[in-house]
Amino acid sequence: MASTSIINIGQSLTVRMSRLAIRSSVISSTFQPFAQSLTSAAVFKVGPIISPSSFAVGNHVGYTLARSFTSAANTPLKRRDSKTNVDYGATSSLGTLLSQEQAEKFAAFLHANQHQKVKPFIVKRRMGQLRTYIGNERNIRHSPWRMNLVCQFAAGLTVPEALKQLMFCQKVKAPLVAKVIRRTSNLADIRHGLQPSQLEVAECFATHGSHLKRIKIMGRGRSGKKHRRHSHIRLVLREIDFPTKLLKAETLNQKRLWLERLSMARADYEKARIERAEIAELEAQAAKVEEAKRKEEEEAEQKK
């Protein structure tokens, strides 16, 4: 019996090691362009990063994935150091809009270390630091229950995807919800220069407005009362935190999807930045021309 159990244990260990080896080969073949970048620790500030080959052997890593989001994840209770004034729970090690190279390295790191877990308070604190923009529409002549059917198409999606969904939504008030989303995204562009591809619909729902009471005419000379329903729309757009989205993505295809969205957001951001720089330059040139014209007029008046 003892020898049989030992043989079974040895066979199970062999099967587990073969599975790990197959898993590591899949990871290395999938992220072949980024295999060399997994050994660099400067991007994530996490110390030594394991490679797919060492992951296949089953080595345990002392540095958890939370180190890429925090400066010291082992001391979550101590918020700030009185001497250095460093926030030990800060999430400033990775920006919300990464470069494509950094995002690909980070996605490869997450996929190779998917057995590691980040504590929920770290993600919650990071989400709390994102910029939000509130939009609303009041006193809409529509039932709040029916309005919520339209709002649920947009809730939880990015702004471009929400507008695309509402474009094909065969509801009367779908254009109105799309109008509120565009108006709020324009507010984000005016305040902080954020493009629609950098925003997501964090909240979108309808509430009861001031209902109007009317007479309901019924048969046999009777009358009752009815309500003309009105509703309000509340919309909250939030800045997309792409590192957190990559962290929450469970499959490889989800990570690829967020990498594509990140590339689109980066392209839109760079295009808007160039346009703002050109507009600022043109305004400066126009101001110089106007100042020169004003000086010429003053000199002409003085000569007279």
Side-chain angles (χ1 to χ4, degrees):
M1 288 294 292
S3 61
T4 306
S5 62
I6 292 172
I7 292 172
N8 293 333
I9 293 173
Q11 290 178 355
S12 63
L13 288 175
T14 305
V15 171
R16 290 180 184 177
M17 294 299 292
S18 62
R19 287 177 180 175
L20 286 174
I22 293 172
R23 186 180 182 184
S24 65
S25 63
V26 172
I27 293 172
S28 59
S29 63
T30 305
F31 294 99
Q32 189 65 28
F34 324 120
Q36 297 179 355
S37 63
L38 289 174
T39 56
S40 62
V43 177
F44 307 105
K45 302 179 181 179
V46 292
I49 299 175
I50 70 172
S51 61
S53 59
S54 62
F55 177 69
V57 181
N59 295 331
H60 294 284
V61 183
Y63 294 93
T64 61
L65 188 59
R67 287 296 184 95
S68 62
F69 279 81
T70 59
S71 55
N74 293 330
T75 57
L77 298 178
K78 186 177 180 181
R79 291 297 304 275
R80 288 189 178 274
D81 190 357
S82 58
K83 296 182 180 180
T84 60
N85 198 24
V86 175
D87 190 356
Y88 285 100
T91 58
S92 59
S93 59
L94 288 174
T96 57
L97 192 63
L98 302 174
S99 64
Q100 194 66 22
E101 182 180 0
Q102 287 180 343
E104 290 171 351
K105 290 180 180 179
F106 187 56
F109 173 75
L110 293 176
H111 192 76
N113 296 272
Q114 56 186 342
H115 62 289
Q116 303 279 355
K117 299 296 181 182
V118 174
K119 294 183 179 179
F121 81 93
I122 297 174
V123 178
K124 182 179 179 181
R125 186 181 303 167
R126 188 176 179 90
M127 298 298 287
Q129 294 177 354
L130 299 176
R131 290 170 287 192
T132 58
Y133 306 92
I134 300 175
N136 53 31
E137 185 74 18
R138 301 182 64 83
N139 296 324
I140 305 169
R141 178 63 184 89
H142 205 68
S143 171
W145 296 281
R146 294 182 180 180
M147 184 63 70
N148 269 321
L149 294 177
V150 183
C151 293
Q152 70 180 0
F153 286 99
L157 300 177
T158 60
V159 170
E161 291 180 356
L163 294 176
K164 190 181 299 183
Q165 289 287 340
L166 293 172
M167 187 185 300
F168 296 98
C169 179
Q170 296 181 358
K171 295 290 183 180
V172 176
K173 297 300 179 180
L176 179 62
V177 178
K179 176 183 175 183
V180 177
I181 293 176
R182 290 193 191 95
R183 185 173 62 203
T184 311
S185 63
N186 290 336
L187 182 65
D189 189 10
I190 293 170
R191 288 183 180 177
H192 300 104
L194 294 179
Q195 302 305 307
S197 56
Q198 296 177 251
L199 300 171
E200 64 178 350
V201 183
E203 296 178 9
C204 186
F205 58 89
T207 57
H208 288 267
S210 299
H211 304 316
L212 302 179
K213 294 181 181 180
R214 293 293 183 263
I215 298 175
K216 181 179 180 181
I217 306 300
M218 299 186 295
R220 294 186 178 182
R222 295 176 299 171
S223 63
K225 61 180 180 179
K226 61 183 178 181
H227 295 86
R228 301 289 187 186
R229 303 289 180 181
H230 287 70
S231 59
H232 307 318
I233 294 178
R234 175 179 169 82
L235 175 71
V236 178
L237 297 184
R238 183 173 58 202
E239 182 183 7
I240 299 177
D241 187 16
F242 287 98
T244 305
K245 297 298 183 182
L246 290 172
L247 174 67
K248 291 183 177 181
E250 297 180 355
T251 62
L252 189 61
N253 289 330
Q254 291 178 359
K255 290 183 175 63
R256 287 173 179 169
L257 179 61
W258 280 110
L259 287 176
E260 292 177 0
R261 292 172 179 171
L262 174 61
S263 64
M264 293 174 58
R266 171 62 67 177
D268 294 343
Y269 175 77
E270 293 296 332
K271 183 179 178 181
R273 184 181 61 82
I274 293 172
E275 289 180 356
R276 286 195 298 269
E278 291 177 354
I279 291 173
E281 185 178 357
L282 291 174
E283 288 178 351
Q285 292 178 1
K288 289 181 180 179
V289 171
E290 195 171 327
E291 183 69 18
K293 185 177 179 180
R294 186 180 61 82
K295 287 182 180 180
E296 289 179 358
E297 291 178 355
E298 290 180 355
E299 291 177 357
E301 290 179 357
Q302 290 178 0
K303 287 180 181 181
K304 290 180 181 179

